[in-house]
Amino acid sequence: MKAKMHKPERSIWVFGDYRNYFQNRVTLQLLARARELAPEIGAEVCAVVFGSQVNEYVGEYIAHGAQTVYAADDPVLKDYSVETYLALAENLVRQYQPEIFLIGATDFGREFAPRVAKRLKTGLTADCIGLDINADGLLVQTAPSFGGNLIATIITPEKRPQMATVRPGTFKELPHDAAATGRIVPVPLPGDLPCARVRLVHCERKPLREQRLEDAGIVICGGRGMGSRAKFKKLFEMARLMGAEVGATRPVVHSRWVDHDCLVGQAGKIIHPQILFSFGVSGAIQHTAAIHDAGLIIAVNKNPNAAMMKIADVAIVADASQFCSALIRELRIRIRE
Ligand SMILES: Cc1cc2nc3c(=O)[nH]c(=O)nc-3n(C[C@H](O)[C@H](O)[C@H](O)COP(=O)(O)OP(=O)(O)OC[C@H]3O[C@@H](n4cnc5c(N)ncnc54)[C@H](O)[C@@H]3O)c2cc1C
């Protein structure tokens, strides 16, 4: 890996959101998708990293598919400041003029990307769940719209770059390739970089889940049909016995039976378990949009005609909470607990 100035003819950029690196892999997922799309428009895949002492991430992005990394590495950039990051991103895009600029739809990306798009007077499709290239070489951005009732296909024919934020979990990252090589282009800070008006005083990490819902092999999803917060808790006991993770529908999250972290669906996480248990879930499209990749689906619902029962491989007509208690008893016997 060698430092060298470099401006490719056409490029697809992925912004390096490395906060919570081990939990949040969306940057790597976007690099992987960018590598698939790049040959269709003869582009190079570039990552953009701002921060202080970011070498480790630069190496990671190259190992996961970035051919060039633009790295602004300076103590001034240690903490995210919207004014400085924005000015830097704007300068860089104007200088290198990428065709496409992708950013993860994380809390950070949702704040940062629209501002960058506004500065550059280009469009932005937020929260994409699909990216393709059409016959005209334009980025086809697929995103839920009108409250999730429609899936919109959006192109940006004139303005550049074509910008999108993309839902974590939409694409799969490439395996880590320690032998991969790439160019590193150091980005100097412009003299007129605005000072941060907001100062970060204290930062505290939320305790991490044991494993990420998005990566769990077994997920137990509960819906309103579980009946109450106390009954919903049974799902956590079942998950403990099975080594599973618990997911939930929106009404469950809204009723505060569980944290927003557990939300599965269009407004939450996309999951890919080998086995998905679904207890008291109706199977609304906003929920099922996030479980397409699930392997075996086992649904328990008192209504045999619920949409979830139709897409399940095993559909059990029963009271969800009672069935859960019976399953827990059986599991305890099997594992002699
Ligand atoms: C813009 C937008 C975004 C949304 N995003 C999401 C999202 O990300 N994730 C999400 O989940 N939802 C989302 N929703 C909400 C979604 O449309 C549904 O309302 C929601 O998924 C329904 O949750 P549910 O199945 O738990 O509840 P309900 O629709 O109330 O269904 C409860 C189910 O439990 C069954 N049941 C009832 N009692 C029992 C019992 N005793 N035993 C067994 N079964 C029983 C019922 O037959 C029913 O099928 C979104 C909606 C909008 C408009």
Side-chain angles (χ1 to χ4, degrees):
M1 291 185 280
K2 217 173 148 205
K4 173 177 160 195
M5 286 308 291
H6 173 75
K7 181 175 177 180
E9 272 291 293
R10 307 186 94 191
S11 55
I12 302 181
W13 281 17
V14 175
F15 194 86
D17 180 358
Y18 51 79
R19 296 156 326 136
N20 285 333
Y21 179 75
F22 295 102
Q23 298 288 306
N24 163 23
R25 314 285 286 184
V26 66
T27 303
L28 308 185
Q29 294 157 9
L30 289 180
L31 285 171
R33 185 60 182 154
R35 284 300 293 259
E36 287 167 352
L37 300 178
E40 298 187 39
I41 54 166
E44 187 174 296
V45 172
C46 308
V48 181
V49 192
F50 298 166
S52 177
Q53 303 189 329
V54 291
N55 275 351
E56 190 190 339
Y57 302 110
V58 169
E60 279 296 286
Y61 294 150
I62 289 173
H64 282 272
Q67 293 159 299
T68 294
V69 180
Y70 297 100
D73 196 333
D74 192 287
V76 167
L77 302 171
K78 181 169 172 286
D79 298 321
Y80 166 61
S81 138
V82 69
E83 293 100 341
T84 43
Y85 272 47
L86 204 50
L88 203 51
E90 183 188 358
N91 274 353
L92 211 57
V93 170
R94 291 198 191 283
Q95 188 180 353
Y96 289 96
Q97 297 172 352
E99 271 296 299
I100 295 172
F101 192 4
L102 306 174
I103 300 177
T106 56
D107 292 344
F108 163 79
R110 287 183 172 132
E111 177 183 330
F112 182 60
R115 289 175 163 82
V116 176
K118 168 81 169 54
R119 287 273 181 109
L120 296 167
K121 297 190 169 50
T122 186
L124 170 82
T125 304
D127 238 19
C128 286
I129 53 168
L131 295 175
D132 290 286
I133 300 288
N134 72 8
D136 298 324
L138 294 173
L139 181 69
V140 177
Q141 304 148 61
T142 308
S145 63
F146 291 105
N149 293 319
L150 283 180
I151 299 291
T153 305
I154 297 168
I155 53 169
T156 314
E158 288 160 19
K159 304 287 185 176
R160 293 292 176 272
Q162 301 160 83
M163 285 190 67
T165 59
V166 180
R167 186 91 59 84
T170 302
F171 302 113
K172 287 207 169 72
E173 68 188 59
L174 291 168
H176 184 278
D177 177 3
T181 54
R183 291 177 202 86
I184 301 169
V185 179
V187 177
L189 297 195
D192 56 355
L193 196 68
C195 292
R197 280 180 296 172
V198 176
R199 191 166 54 90
L200 183 67
V201 179
H202 178 69
C203 181
E204 201 167 312
R205 248 174 218 286
K206 262 173 84 175
L208 298 177
R209 304 170 72 107
E210 281 197 1
Q211 66 175 326
R212 298 188 334 139
L213 191 53
E214 299 96 311
D215 300 331
I218 308 176
V219 172
I220 304 172
C221 247
R224 185 155 35 199
M226 280 303 293
S228 67
R229 180 198 290 219
K231 289 178 179 170
F232 194 94
K233 273 193 182 160
K234 293 181 196 176
L235 298 183
F236 286 97
E237 173 59 1
M238 195 175 141
R240 186 185 70 78
L241 294 165
M242 283 186 177
E245 284 291 315
V246 173
T249 61
R250 197 167 75 159
V252 168
V253 172
H254 280 182
S255 306
R256 299 186 185 272
W257 295 355
V258 292
D259 274 359
H260 189 274
D261 261 10
C262 294
L263 181 63
V264 172
Q266 181 196 307
K269 293 182 174 153
I270 299 175
I271 57 171
H272 318 267
Q274 283 128 40
I275 306 176
L276 171 64
F277 289 90
S278 183
F279 283 83
V281 172
S282 60
I285 178 78
Q286 292 88 356
H287 177 75
T288 56
I291 61 171
H292 285 315
D293 273 352
L296 181 75
I297 301 181
I298 302 165
V300 183
N301 198 303
K302 69 176 186 187
N303 175 6
N305 296 317
M308 195 68 218
M309 299 288 266
K310 307 278 183 210
I311 62 168
D313 300 289
V314 181
I316 300 162
V317 182
D319 176 88
S321 165
Q322 283 177 12
F323 190 87
C324 185
S325 301
L327 202 53
I328 289 172
R329 273 197 302 278
E330 188 62 29
L331 283 166
R332 284 190 180 135
I333 293 167
R334 297 278 169 123
I335 61 176
R336 296 166 202 271
E337 200 177 70

